[in-house]
């Protein structure tokens, strides 16, 4: 776990006081230095563009991963040099030689290919589908259902997902959570956030009713109906603790009773902030149960981003904290697919975000706030749950760590204070909320952690999911017309189009289909089984270098219902 | 680009004024059309369709001296499938009649340019059919054998030789190939225009842009044609409307059913290679890759027959000419892969166009020609299964002969429209069937394959019972018939999927069925046979039948007569068994596929007399054939009537009760030469009688059997079968059936003169039975039919059917032996001595096996009390 957290690309803390990174570094150096062919042999598609493309992706990964080791090294060797090298490595024979070579040095595990059915069983292990039940043959909800899936790269996976239907109010909640420095925070948020949102949305009377029921020991009104994959677990031990925090929240809401109707945007923001606050408080207060005590500390010291959608009729709200992303798939009149972003990434690439952070801190810190595209040079997302290292004062951190359990005390990472840490908090869990009125042409929503978005462009995502969901592969018929096309080119094109169609039929789940593409796509935007097989058979310790955890929820909208809403309004 | 080819030709569109048009005028003539020449009010023949078929019929009719002919084309001449046709003229066809048509077409096209002055683009390139598997090579060798005996040069060559003939071919996956050096390429549109030009010169009037709306038929005869430009009275109408033939047939009040359906067909045209391909480079057919490749203007033209064809126009025509059909590259993908695999060097060749050219296909992959069974004078020539240009010349010739003489000069029964009835005319059936037929073009066709689509249309009431007992089915004229019964415990899947030219896996199964027929009793459901009843108030029935049949039908009531229904030339139009039910009514049994043909023949020849009734009762009766020495026991126990030979002699018919069911027509015939009975059961009793027979038969070892057993039994006894061995060009004298001809029956009958003449002067071919002598049933290729027969090393004929005789433990082939003059090739009289004094060999896919010829069957096979272990002496007779 130490190694994992140390090497997490979000949280680069290798220059820590203990030389904890050294064994890791030495074990990986040979692979990296010698062998930039490593990725090459992994992707033996003998095409120039492909190699350079994969090369650059792979290098990018390395670079991001290793910047903490030596940014100079990473930049000079990995980002630029390999591409040239690859160009020279064009001949397949050399590839082969290099492969042998690499194997010797890096002791890469045996090269074996997964069969298509093995690939499928890996891809489908976590898939989950939910169809909104129909009444009298009609689905009156604006949501037809959703498909979700996740593919681990970290061991264990640090992504989480949640989906639930609000039972006391209308609407459906869906969210993806990308944890870092462990999965504890993402796990906690995935269990708790929707309750906080649901409670925030509840009218005063219902809150009173619930409180009275708890008070008198009566059965509680169910608030949420969860749609969970068997692997999506809830922590039993902490449920009492979590419930108490939640109850305190609604009691406060009852006391506050503003009498106003609940605004979804406000409810979402309040819920996010409140939950983050509770996480922080629980860690400060601690728990007499040592297991729980350790748990709440791990939750608080790890972090998680969240991207949550609330769909109620034609009103779609996206609350986003961090760098997961929500994207709307829109079908244009000509049948083609386009993508509309419904969230902003909170990271260094978002100028407004950088501005915001700078505004919140004295001018003197301007230079140290964002370094190497990271918050304080360490953290990639600029907003997150947990991560109290970026929120608490130094004194508080020291106090909590010292009084905490030994495990925590011994952990170099938790002890380590970020550099230039002058005016906490540097991090917030407050989400940015975007509201969108659904139109009949809005066919689906994709919520996904950055593992997807760093491999695929949203436009491709829109097209692949769109084609998948409509079942019609709007592949324009090819017409040669006056163009100069050779038989060979045409053959390549046709083979690729066939592959695209055949991969659709393998999947019953849109999210699975998208993952298949994200991991297996070749330069044509089609799934290459060999590549897919190799990516999925990477050993645990290597997987994280080539890809991130990917979690996807694809929500499909009911255009008829949405159209009817519109008509009513007209 | 075909348009450009077309436009090079100066073309006269209407008689008698030549309309000379330059190419530019022609291409821009759509608006500034000269006033069309008025249609004539009447003509002897109206041909609809200006493709290669229509023009070929017009050409041949006018050659034969008929002048009063009008050809109507809805668009432009040669504008339909003909325009897009790939233009390959190849004689490499498995069926002998198709081969003859293609051979004739080739010779015709070769001299057409000289005859008409129209450039036809004829180029003798030869063709190479590639084999990627040994089985494919066997099928090619079979074709090569029949080409060689036709005098068409043809050889089986090695892959290396292929490379010498065509340098671009990847030969690494080939096991061999067949080279036909005389196959040719033509521009099909120009061939059609040349034929039209010649016809026009001979007086045929050609009218373009004239659309036939329907054909008027009165009293079963064609009387005229309605067009969008007026009416033409005519005696004969020829439907050469290609893929629109079906619709045109249905447009009138009395539909003419022409079962064909169009499928999209794609081929690719490329720009020339850097080093343009020579125009004499042979055409490549790679059936295992499902493609053909020919040289085309320095580049290539390549198309194929994909596994997943796209049928079109199921709902009918929605356009006038075949224009603007979409190219579908995704559909063409697999064929393109095959092309690049065959010629990897073409990767960098630039695409010019993917042409979508619909082709029409028929339910049995054979073209359709002949006269409509319902309308006299209504002829059809269509459904070319994408070989239109290969067949064009020959098919046009045969049809013209048919119109002029009343019959063509070759046996075209396999192509006769009358092999189909209304039952093959359903659009759904056709759509499904052609989707199977089109891939079959290049599928490996092993002996006794059956169509899988359009099945279970006509079934016996016992179908489910038999199916549950392991029946394996084949189809004949839409009727499901049992091939054999798979005993419980056998791996059924295995049996259904094995395809081989060698000993089939049903060998032992059929063997045990045959054994049971010989030693105990078997039941075969023979309900598919065509059954007619002819009755009259007076003697009309007898008189008419006496004229139509060669045997004497004036027999006592209750007798069954085997007889031929002959044409004027003494040839078999049908071969049937006729039972005299009463003084004035007859019951007639003929082969399954005779339903339409025999009906038409009788209708056309019976006097128009309301007191004479002809009825098709096929559907009324289920026929159970009880074969075997114990059949008599089963039947007598079930009917409490003595069935022994004294009481129920052979060739006898009687209505009796079987079980509880009364009125069962029992005949002492089996169609096999074995003892037994056929029960004609009114269908509502069928299940009852079957159950009774099976229950009662148990103690006699009864079992179900199928047609394969029947076939083996009849062939070993030298029983000829109409449609396989007998045809309209075979007389009873030629197949040893003089005993079925009563020249002295006291009245004239059809064909009598010819038969008399043959009796006096002898015959020019003789039906002979061959027993293969050095053939190893387990190891050698099996004969099927169509294998050349050699006498003293010289070709004398072909086999017509063959089967393994489980009794003789030899293969038996039946076929006709001719006597060709060694110098002139002229046909000479075949004498018994000629047959008996020869050394015979049968050529199976190029390998010759010694055969013993016999003119009479082994009498030992007919001995009822034949002892089990009595050996059969092959030399004991004849």
């Amino acid at each position: 776990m130490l190694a994992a957290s140390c090497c997490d690309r979000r949280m680069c803390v290798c220059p820590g006081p203990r030389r904890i990174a050294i064994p890791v570094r030495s074990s990986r150096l040979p692979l990296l230095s010698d062998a930039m062919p490593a990725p090459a042999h992994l992707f033996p598609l003998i095409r120039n563009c492909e190699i350079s493309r994969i090369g650059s992706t792979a290098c990018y990964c390395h670079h991001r991963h290793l910047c903490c080791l030596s940014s100079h090294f990473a930049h000079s060797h990995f980002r630029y040099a390999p591409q040239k090298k690859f160009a020279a490595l064009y001949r397949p024979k050399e590839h082969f030689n290099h492969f042998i070579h690499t194997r010797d040095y890096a002791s890469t595990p045996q090269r074996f290919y997964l069969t298509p059915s093995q690939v499928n069983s890996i891809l489908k292990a976590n898939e989950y589908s939910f169809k909104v039940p129909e009444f009298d043959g009609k689905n009156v909800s604006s949501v037809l259902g959703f498909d979700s899936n996740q593919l681990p790269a970290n061991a264990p996976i640090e992504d989480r997902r949640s989906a639930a239907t609000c039972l006391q109010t209308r609407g459906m909640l869906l969210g993806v959570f990308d944890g870092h420095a462990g999965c504890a925070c993402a796990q906690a948020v995935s269990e708790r956030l929707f309750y906080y949102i649901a409670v925030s949305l509840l009218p005063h009377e219902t809150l009173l009713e619930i409180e009275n029921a708890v008070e008198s020991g009566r059965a509680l009104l169910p608030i949420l109906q969860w749609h969970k994959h068997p692997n999506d677990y809830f922590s039993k031990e902490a449920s009492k603790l979590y419930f108490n925090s939640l109850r305190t929240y609604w009691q406060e809401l009852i006391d506050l009773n503003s009498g106003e109707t609940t605004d979804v945007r406000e409810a979402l923001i309040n819920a996010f902030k409140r939950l983050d606050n509770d996480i922080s408080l629980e860690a400060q207060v601690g728990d007499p149960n040592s297991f729980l005590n350790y748990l709440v500390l791990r939750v608080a010291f790890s972090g998680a981003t969240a991207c949550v959608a609330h769909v109620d009729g034609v009103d779609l709200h996206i609350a986003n904290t961090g760098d997961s992303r929500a994207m709307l798939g829109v079908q244009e009149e000509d049948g083609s697919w386009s993508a509309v972003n419904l969230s902003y990434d909170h990271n260094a690439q978002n100028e407004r975000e950088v501005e915001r952070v700078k505004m919140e801190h004295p001018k003197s810190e301007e230079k140290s706030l964002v370094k190497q595209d990271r918050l304080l040079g360490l953290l990639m997302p600029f907003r997150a749950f947990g991560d109290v290292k970026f929120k608490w004062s130094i004194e508080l951190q020291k106090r909590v760590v010292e009084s905490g359990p030994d495990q925590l005390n011994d952990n170099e990472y938790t002890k380590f204070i970020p550099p230039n840490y002058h005016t906490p908090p540097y991090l917030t869990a407050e989400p940015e909320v975007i509201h969108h009125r659904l139109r009949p042409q809005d066919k689906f929503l994709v919520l996904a952690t950055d593992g997807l978005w760093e491999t695929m462009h949203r436009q491709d995502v829109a097209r692949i999911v769109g084609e998948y969901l409509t079942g019609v592969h709007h592949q324009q018929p090819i017409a040669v017309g006056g163009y100069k096309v050779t038989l060979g080119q045409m053959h390549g094109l046709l083979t690729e189009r066939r592959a695209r169609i055949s991969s659709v039929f393998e999947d019953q789940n849109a999210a699975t289909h998208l993952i298949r593409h994200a991991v297996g796509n070749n330069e044509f935007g089609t799934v290459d089984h060999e590549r897919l097989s190799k990516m999925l058979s990477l050993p645990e310790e290597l997987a994280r270098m080539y890809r991130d955890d990917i979690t996807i929820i694809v929500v499909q909208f009911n255009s008829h219902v949405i159209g009817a809403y519109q008509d009513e309004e007209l | 680009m075909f348009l450009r080819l077309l436009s090079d030709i100066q073309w006269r569109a209407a008689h008698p004024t030549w309309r000379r048009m330059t190419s530019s005028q022609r291409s821009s003539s759509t608006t500034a059309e000269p006033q069309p020449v008025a249609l004539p009010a009447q003509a002897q023949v109206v041909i609809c369709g200006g493709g290669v078929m229509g023009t070929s019929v017009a050409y041949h009719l006018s050659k034969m001296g008929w002048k009063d002919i009008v050809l109507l084309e809805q668009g432009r001449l040669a504008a339909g499938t003909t325009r897009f046709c790939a233009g390959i003229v190849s004689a490499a066809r498995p069926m002998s009649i198709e081969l003859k048509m293609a051979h004739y077409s080739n010779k015709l096209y070769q001299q057409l340019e000289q005859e008409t002055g129209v450039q036809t683009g004829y180029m003798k390139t030869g063709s190479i059919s590639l084999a990627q598997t040994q089985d494919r090579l066997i099928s090619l060798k079979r074709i090569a054998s029949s080409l060689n005996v036709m005098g068409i040069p043809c050889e089986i060559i090695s892959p290396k030789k292929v490379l010498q003939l065509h340098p671009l071919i990847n030969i690494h996956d080939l096991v061999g190939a067949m080279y036909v050096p005389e196959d040719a390429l033509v521009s099909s549109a120009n061939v059609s225009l040349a034929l039209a030009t010649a016809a026009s010169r001979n007086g045929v009037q050609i009218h373009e842009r004239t659309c036939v709306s329907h054909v008027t038929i009165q009293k079963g005869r064609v009387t005229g044609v309605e067009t969008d430009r007026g009416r033409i009275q005519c005696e004969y109408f020829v439907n050469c409307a290609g893929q629109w033939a079906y619709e045109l047939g249905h447009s009138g009040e009395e539909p003419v059913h022409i079962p064909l359906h169009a499928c999209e067909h794609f081929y690719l045209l490329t720009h020339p290679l850097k080093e343009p391909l020579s125009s004499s480079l042979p055409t490549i057919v790679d059936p295992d890759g499902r493609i053909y490749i020919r040289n085309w203007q320095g580049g290539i033209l390549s198309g194929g027959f994909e596994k997943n064809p796209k049928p079109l126009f199921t709902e009918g025509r929605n356009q006038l000419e075949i224009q603007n059909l979409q190219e579908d590259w995704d559909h063409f993908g697999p064929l393109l892969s095959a092309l690049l695999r065959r010629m990897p060097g073409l990767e960098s060749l630039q695409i010019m166009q993917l042409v979508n050219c619909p082709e029409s296909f028929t339910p049995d992959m054979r073209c359709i020609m002949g006269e409509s069974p319902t309308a006299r004078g209504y002829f059809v020539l269509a459904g070319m299964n994408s070989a239109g240009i290969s067949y064009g010349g020959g098919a046009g010739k045969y049809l013209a002969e048919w119109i002029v003489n009343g019959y063509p000069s070759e046996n075209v029964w396999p192509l006769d429209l009358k092999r189909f009835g209304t039952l093959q005319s359903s659009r759904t059936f056709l759509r499904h069937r052609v989707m199977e037929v089109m891939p079959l073009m290049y599928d490996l066709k092993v002996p006794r394959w059956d169509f899988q689509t359009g099945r279970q249309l006509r079934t016996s009431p016992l179908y489910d019972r038999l199916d549950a007992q392991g029946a394996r089915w084949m189809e004949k004229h839409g009727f499901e018939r049992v091939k054999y019964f798979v005993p419980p415990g056998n791996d059924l899947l295995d049996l259904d999927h094995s395809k081989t030219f060698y000993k089939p896996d049903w060998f032992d199964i059929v063997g045990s069925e045959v054994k049971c027929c010989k030693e105990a009793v078997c039941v075969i459901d023979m309900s598919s046979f065509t059954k007619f009843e002819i009755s009259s108030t007076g003697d009309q029935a007898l008189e008419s039948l006496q004229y139509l049949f060669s045997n004497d039908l004036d027999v006592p009531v209750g007798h069954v007569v085997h007889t031929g229904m002959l044409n004027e030339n003494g040839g078999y139009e049908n071969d049937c068994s006729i039972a005299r039910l009463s003084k004035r009514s007859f019951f007639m049994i003929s082969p399954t596929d005779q339903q339409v043909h025999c009906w038409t023949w009788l209708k056309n020849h019976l006097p128009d007399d309301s007191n004479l009734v002809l009825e098709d009762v096929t559907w009324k009766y289920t026929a159970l054939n009880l074969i075997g020495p114990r059949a008599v026991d089963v039947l007598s126990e079930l009917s409490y009537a003595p069935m022994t030979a004294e009481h129920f002699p052979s060739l006898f018919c009687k209505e009796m009760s079987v079980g509880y069911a009364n009125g069962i027509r029992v005949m002492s015939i089996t169609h096999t030469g074995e003892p037994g009975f056929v029960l004609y059961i009114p269908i509502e009793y069928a299940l009852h009688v079957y159950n009774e027979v099976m229950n009662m038969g148990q103690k006699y070892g009864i079992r179900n059997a199928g047609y394969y057993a029947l076939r083996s039994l009849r062939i070993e006894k030298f029983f000829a079968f109409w449609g396989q061995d007998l045809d309209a060009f075979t007389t009873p004298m030629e197949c040893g059936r003089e005993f079925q001809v009563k020249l002295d029956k006291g009245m004239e009958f059809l064909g009598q003169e010819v038969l008399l003449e043959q009796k006096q002067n002898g015959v020019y071919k003789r039906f002979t039975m061959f027993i293969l002598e050095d053939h190893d049933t387990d190891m050698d290729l099996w004969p099927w039919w169509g294998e050349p027969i050699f006498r003293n090393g010289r070709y004398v004929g072909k086999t017509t059917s063959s089967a393994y005789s489980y009794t003789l433990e030899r293969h038996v082939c039946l076929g006709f032996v001719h006597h060709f003059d060694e110098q002139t090739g002229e046909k000479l009289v075949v004498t018994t001595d000629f047959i008996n004094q020869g050394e015979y060999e049968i050529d199976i896919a190029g390998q010759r096996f010694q055969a013993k010829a016999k003119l009479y069957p082994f009498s030992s096979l007919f001995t009822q009390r034949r002892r089990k272990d009595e050996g059969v002496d092959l030399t004991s007779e004849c």
Side-chain angles (χ1 to χ4, degrees), chain A residues 2 49 62 88 95 110 151 232 284 307 446 469 478 480 497:
Chain A
L2 291 179
C49 50
H62 286 299
H95 273 220
Q110 72 290 3
L151 180 69
D232 300 339
Q284 289 173 44
C307 185
V446 178
L469 289 179
I478 305 176
V480 176
R497 282 159 69 96

Side-chain angles (χ1 to χ4, degrees), chain B residues 166-190:
Chain B
H166 200 305
L168 288 176
I169 295 189
N170 163 24
I171 57 163
H172 297 296
D173 53 355
L174 299 182
V175 296
M178 177 177 72
Y179 179 45
V180 186
E182 289 191 354
D183 279 353
L185 291 180
V186 293
S187 153
S188 48
N190 291 8

Side-chain angles (χ1 to χ4, degrees), chain A residues 441-564:
Chain A
Q441 63 264 43
D442 300 333
K443 301 297 184 189
F444 59 89
L445 173 75
V446 178
L447 298 175
T449 55
D450 61 341
L452 174 72
W453 305 111
E454 64 196 22
T455 58
M456 284 182 92
H457 190 265
R458 62 193 155 99
Q459 191 57 46
D460 294 331
V461 171
R463 181 182 53 76
I464 289 166
V465 176
E467 285 172 2
Y468 174 83
L469 289 179
T470 51
V472 183
H473 313 293
H474 278 283
Q475 300 202 38
Q476 290 291 319
I478 305 176
V480 176
Y483 297 103
K484 291 185 176 178
V485 186
T486 67
L487 294 178
Q489 287 167 337
M490 180 59 83
H491 187 228
L493 186 62
L494 294 175
T495 314
E496 170 236 322
R497 282 159 69 96
R498 263 205 308 285
R500 191 182 299 170
I501 289 173
S502 67
S503 71
V504 168
F505 294 124
E506 271 174 273
D507 298 320
Q508 277 82 52
N509 182 304
T512 311
H513 187 62
L514 205 45
I515 291 178
R516 187 186 297 278
H517 275 274
V519 179
N521 260 8
N522 58 17
E523 78 265 33
F524 296 114
T526 55
V527 176
D528 173 352
H529 176 76
E530 206 174 321
R531 184 188 155 110
L532 190 59
S533 163
K534 281 169 180 165
M535 285 295 268
L536 292 180
S537 54
L538 288 172
E540 268 178 17
E541 68 271 19
L542 279 182
R544 187 60 190 83
M545 299 168 71
Y546 293 101
R547 54 185 167 85
D548 193 1
D549 293 335
I550 298 176
T551 300
I552 300 172
I553 300 179
V554 178
V555 188
Q556 201 181 351
F557 296 121
N558 188 336
S559 301
H560 299 291
V561 172
I562 292 170

Side-chain angles (χ1 to χ4, degrees), chain A residues 307-459:
Chain A
C307 185
V308 174
H310 176 263
V311 198
D312 176 10
V314 288
D315 291 307
L316 169 64
H317 285 87
I318 305 288
N320 184 43
T321 286
D323 55 4
S324 291
R325 199 182 286 172
M327 184 214 86
L328 193 65
V330 181
Q331 190 166 30
E332 304 294 342
E333 276 176 12
D334 65 357
S336 65
W337 296 94
S338 62
V340 174
N341 270 353
L342 288 183
S343 67
Y344 301 108
D345 295 351
H346 299 137
N347 58 19
Q349 278 72 47
N350 182 344
E351 281 177 25
R352 280 197 306 147
E353 222 22 44
V354 177
E355 279 310 299
R356 176 187 66 79
V357 174
K358 286 184 178 167
M359 288 285 289
E360 288 171 0
H361 296 278
K363 196 121 179 102
S364 54
E365 294 183 40
E366 193 165 305
K367 282 188 180 156
S368 57
L369 271 175
V370 180
K371 274 185 170 172
Q372 293 156 15
D373 285 350
R374 285 161 193 260
L375 190 63
L376 297 179
L378 294 173
L379 192 62
M380 281 183 60
F382 280 24
R383 301 192 195 191
F385 283 93
D387 281 331
V388 290
K389 296 180 66 62
F390 296 87
K391 289 173 180 167
W392 290 353
S393 65
I394 297 177
E395 296 73 36
L396 183 57
Q397 290 191 35
K398 280 188 174 155
R399 183 164 60 78
V400 170
V401 171
E402 276 161 20
S403 65
D406 292 345
Q407 299 106 306
L408 193 70
N409 218 357
D410 291 346
N411 187 329
E412 296 295 335
Y413 163 60
T414 44
K415 273 185 180 169
F416 162 75
I417 302 290
N420 305 308
Y421 196 78
H422 306 299
T423 50
Y426 287 89
L427 196 62
T428 173
E430 180 173 335
E432 227 177 333
V433 178
I434 292 182
H435 171 242
H436 177 80
R437 283 189 67 79
L438 289 171
R439 307 156 299 169
Q441 63 264 43
D442 300 333
K443 301 297 184 189
F444 59 89
L445 173 75
V446 178
L447 298 175
T449 55
D450 61 341
L452 174 72
W453 305 111
E454 64 196 22
T455 58
M456 284 182 92
H457 190 265
R458 62 193 155 99
Q459 191 57 46

Side-chain angles (χ1 to χ4, degrees), chain A residues 475-481 483-495 497-498 501, chain B residues 268 270 300 326-330 332-334 336-337 339-340 346-353:
Chain A
Q475 300 202 38
Q476 290 291 319
I478 305 176
V480 176
Y483 297 103
K484 291 185 176 178
V485 186
T486 67
L487 294 178
Q489 287 167 337
M490 180 59 83
H491 187 228
L493 186 62
L494 294 175
T495 314
R497 282 159 69 96
R498 263 205 308 285
I501 289 173
Chain B
L268 169 80
T270 70
I300 60 144
Q326 293 298 312
E327 56 191 316
D328 185 342
W329 278 102
D330 292 302
F332 192 72
L336 180 60
S337 304
L339 170 65
L340 289 177
L346 299 185
E347 280 239 356
S348 56
L349 189 55
Q350 226 179 77
I351 294 165
M352 177 178 272
Q353 196 190 353

